[in-house]
Amino acid sequence: MKRHLISAADLSRDDALLILDTATELASLADRPIKKLPTLRGRTVVNLFYEDSTRTRISFEAAAKRLSADVINFSAKGSSVAKGESLKDTALTLEAMGADAVIIRHGASGAAHRLAGWVRGSVLNAGDGTHEHPTQALLDAFTIRRRLRGTGAAGARGAGLDGLRVTIVGDVLHSRVARSNVLLLSTLGAEVTLAAPPTLLPLAVGSWPCAVSYDLDSELPKSDVVMMLRVQQERMTAAYFPSVREYSRRYGLDTARMARLPGHAIVMHPGPMNRGVEIAAEVADSVRSTIVEQVANGVTTRMAVLYLLLGGTEFPATGVAR
């Protein structure tokens, strides 16, 4: 692997499979009475979050602590950033403190890339603007693989997602999750389709390695995975659809639509959800939903990424005390 993880495009198929296989090995340790490993003892990991976050920040913090790293949580609110300090000056401060890895979430696309040029440690992109969120794509791929490629953790080792059909639905225009998932899932062999109204698709979507559909109902019967995206109204500066009710009628996943899915198909959502908008409460809470599972898998997958970036290139399965 490279020194940083800025984009899902940074990962080759072998890189992605190495992360997923490492996460699979780490998941097998989840039932141990003591879940911590000494792998990153003495390393410092900084959570540098310029945007509000619950799942991602806590997930990265839990992952680093389970690997015995020292964790510093930095929030833009209440810091020198509120006084006008630039990202570069903040980066230089972290560099002076000896940060081995900086996990950054920022409202500007490209912020993680800029940060990587200013620090000597590893930079992990936890979401930059509407650009990318690569670890979310990795945990989604891990979840899909465990559910649909073999039984249990061991059955998934070494497997890609070849031949699986994944439909990503909704607000693609403002979604960093969608872009990272398209790149990663296609690298792993999945056939990805974006289902959204034309107003919620990026202009350059034609260059992405995926198909595009405006008709969700036609895609459901041939989907192995349906990934619903949150309608990000906080990022919308114009009217992208007539009304929330109209959007939900055309692109929301309710029980009637879920019944059109093949029997083995699963439903995903990166969270947080707008219940009753892009996904009905009954669907979100159904046995076919992996939403809670995705949160749990996020810690394991991010442990794998931190381990491979800071600890080594291969997970020593035989050297782990079980």
Side-chain angles (χ1 to χ4, degrees):
M1 285 181 61
K2 299 178 182 179
R3 185 160 60 96
H4 308 295
L5 180 55
I6 308 299
S7 165
D10 296 338
L11 300 172
S12 67
R13 181 183 174 95
D14 287 343
D15 289 335
L17 288 176
L18 176 60
I19 293 171
L20 297 183
D21 288 345
T22 303
T24 298
E25 186 68 38
L26 288 166
S28 68
L29 307 177
D31 295 330
R32 299 193 327 167
I34 299 177
K35 295 178 173 60
K36 293 191 73 170
L37 299 172
T39 313
L40 299 185
R41 184 176 295 154
R43 300 296 190 103
T44 300
V45 175
V46 177
N47 278 328
L48 179 60
F49 278 61
Y50 285 80
E51 287 187 324
D52 293 336
S53 172
T54 301
R55 291 166 183 79
T56 302
R57 183 183 60 79
I58 293 175
S59 180
F60 268 115
E61 182 176 358
K65 286 182 175 180
R66 288 187 188 180
L67 292 171
S68 300
D70 297 318
V71 180
I72 299 173
N73 287 314
F74 178 100
S75 175
K77 294 178 181 178
S79 71
S80 296
V81 173
K83 302 176 182 178
E85 183 173 81
S86 68
L87 175 61
K88 183 174 183 179
D89 289 332
T90 301
L92 295 177
T93 299
L94 299 177
E95 178 73 10
M97 292 180 179
D100 296 292
V102 180
I103 299 156
I104 179 171
R105 168 164 287 192
H106 200 284
S109 299
H113 176 75
R114 294 293 296 163
L115 181 65
W118 295 325
V119 298
R120 283 175 291 184
S122 295
V123 173
L124 284 78
N125 184 3
D128 59 332
T130 59
H131 180 228
E132 282 212 47
H133 193 353
T135 58
Q136 179 68 45
L138 283 164
L139 74 88
D140 290 341
F142 180 78
T143 303
I144 294 169
R145 194 171 78 154
R146 294 196 77 181
R147 279 288 193 110
L148 301 179
R149 283 288 188 257
T151 56
R157 287 195 186 98
L161 303 179
D162 303 273
L164 290 179
R165 294 184 174 183
V166 181
T167 302
I168 301 176
V169 185
D171 186 5
V172 178
L173 180 64
H174 302 101
S175 176
R176 47 200 175 203
V177 172
R179 183 188 297 267
S180 288
N181 263 297
V182 168
L183 293 171
L184 182 68
L185 296 179
S186 61
T187 296
L188 290 170
E191 300 174 20
V192 183
T193 299
L194 300 176
T199 54
L200 289 177
L201 289 169
L203 292 176
V205 73
S207 64
W208 293 16
C210 63
V212 174
S213 173
Y214 306 129
D215 184 5
L216 173 59
D217 291 323
S218 68
E219 299 301 324
L220 294 175
K222 53 188 178 182
S223 299
D224 300 298
V225 179
V226 176
M227 184 181 298
M228 307 306 296
L229 300 174
R230 182 172 65 88
V231 177
Q232 299 189 42
Q233 297 189 50
E234 75 278 7
R235 295 185 186 274
M236 295 183 180
T237 57
Y240 290 89
F241 44 81
S243 67
V244 171
R245 182 177 179 181
E246 175 68 10
Y247 176 89
S248 184
R249 186 181 70 82
R250 290 287 306 277
Y251 293 96
L253 187 63
D254 55 18
T255 52
R257 280 203 168 103
M258 187 170 68
R260 299 177 187 175
L261 292 169
H264 66 276
I266 59 175
V267 176
M268 308 183 77
H269 194 301
M273 295 178 285
N274 292 316
R275 289 176 180 252
V277 181
E278 69 267 2
I279 189 168
E282 301 82 21
V283 177
D285 298 330
S286 73
V287 294
R288 303 179 75 172
S289 168
T290 67
I291 296 169
V292 175
E293 187 178 341
Q294 286 171 262
V295 175
N297 289 342
V299 177
T300 305
T301 307
R302 287 168 176 134
M303 285 176 68
V305 171
L306 286 169
Y307 171 80
L308 291 169
L309 286 178
L310 300 180
T313 58
E314 185 177 352
F315 191 76
T318 58
V320 176
R322 296 181 183 270

